[in-house]
Amino acid sequence: MKVKVFCANTMQDAINQVKTDLGRDAVILQTRRLKKGGLFGFFAKEQFEVMAAIDNIAKVAVQQPNPSYYPNTPPPAKSFSPHEDHGILALRQDVSNLQKLMEHVVTALPGTAPTASPLVDLLISNDVEPDVARVLTQGLPEIMDESRLVIMKELLRDRISGRLKRVEIISPHNASCQIAAFIGPTGVGKTTTIAKLAANFSLKEGRRVALITADTYRIAALEQLKTYGDIIGVPLDIVYTPQELREAIARHRDKDLILVDTAGRSPKNQQQLQELQTLLAVEPSMQVHLVMSTTTKYREALEVVNRFSECSPTKFLFTKVDEAANIGTIINLLYRFPMSLSYITTGQNVPDDIEIADPQKLANLLSRN
Ligand SMILES: Nc1nc2c(ncn2[C@@H]2O[C@H](COP(=O)(O)OP(=O)(O)OP(=O)(O)O)[C@@H](O)[C@H]2O)c(=O)[nH]1
Ligand SMILES: [Mg+2]
């Protein structure tokens, strides 16, 4: 690992030096403000120091993946030979019998057998949890012919859209500045979503928007939002500490909307989540959107929500609906948690691929075959 310290008159200049010298994959280890020069402490110039590192070994590893990271490819199956001895043939027969027995046992387990209700089956095939599917279909007939099934599906869609009705979006108004922060696991689409929202509110609705990023871990992350900010024409402030976030918010109180980006956090890293909580606590009026990818399997999503709950998010924002096979995870989470829905995103295009969550549309997606 190569570690270097960079010093400049502004934080941006120091970051630029890091980028030129170590590249976009550099990791920022520490930043600080200091006073240099002057006489007896007077006339000292403010300087910004950034300690950054680049992991050369990791780079090599990315370029030449270690074959042992990949699951072992099974050796090609031996073709059946008439010369195999009796012992092997008997063993094959035993394995085959065991497999049949296992299949029988698995289909007989509760929850895995097909249910009597085609509506429950439809929901389960969309990854809706069985208990949620049962609640949603309660009171609807279990046995029905094709024509009744069409009507029942319509009823089911109404019920589902009723469940998804808790929609709360960002609605800037002239009376006060709205502040929204976006948190969630890495790579779910937080920064892209912020760019989409900033572009829509600023360019389409003519609102005064400011961006703040607390994602100072990677140079590439800073660059990403800076580029969007420049294109859209909105200012971006970079903050390293809760105090700096407080100051940046105070600087932009005259805006209609402040969007705060945060670094992706692993739900398993308690310390990172604690830091995030401390950061968000500086502004009680801040609405916190938990950004989740719709492609996340429900069990994993459940852990994400549980772990991020200490940062008190009040809204779900689901990304990558375009990539998801279904939206079972959305309904499962809304069934379990008293949070509302804000937006869904449907692709990588900034600013177009974002929509206000529409319960009816989502329900249509859920009950498709
Ligand atoms: N298909 C699809 N891709 C998306 C969507 N939203 C974001 N992406 C892509 O997901 C990738 C990660 O997006 P980012 O916005 O950088 O994600 P992030 O959550 O900010 O990532 P970190 O800051 O590293 O935690 C990018 O390639 C985006 O283009 C979406 O709705 N659909
Ligand atoms: Mg990001």
Side-chain angles (χ1 to χ4, degrees), residues 186-192 218 224 264 320 322-323 345 347-348:
T186 51
V188 290
K190 297 177 292 299
T191 307
T192 314
R218 284 180 306 118
Q224 187 188 6
K320 308 194 186 185
D322 55 308
E323 282 185 3
T345 74
Q348 293 179 292

Side-chain angles (χ1 to χ4, degrees), residues 264-314:
R265 294 301 188 201
S266 159
K268 296 199 179 347
N269 191 324
Q270 190 58 33
Q271 192 197 332
Q272 283 185 350
L273 292 175
Q274 203 95 53
E275 283 167 14
L276 188 58
Q277 185 198 18
T278 312
L279 183 80
L280 300 176
V282 304
E283 178 55 52
S285 78
M286 183 148 55
Q287 45 175 286
V288 180
H289 297 241
L290 177 56
V291 183
M292 313 259 300
S293 168
T294 316
T295 58
T296 311
K297 288 275 155 241
Y298 175 59
R299 297 280 144 211
E300 206 185 311
L302 201 56
E303 192 192 353
V304 170
V305 185
N306 281 328
R307 295 301 179 107
F308 276 88
S309 64
E310 65 182 271
C311 300
S312 311
T314 53

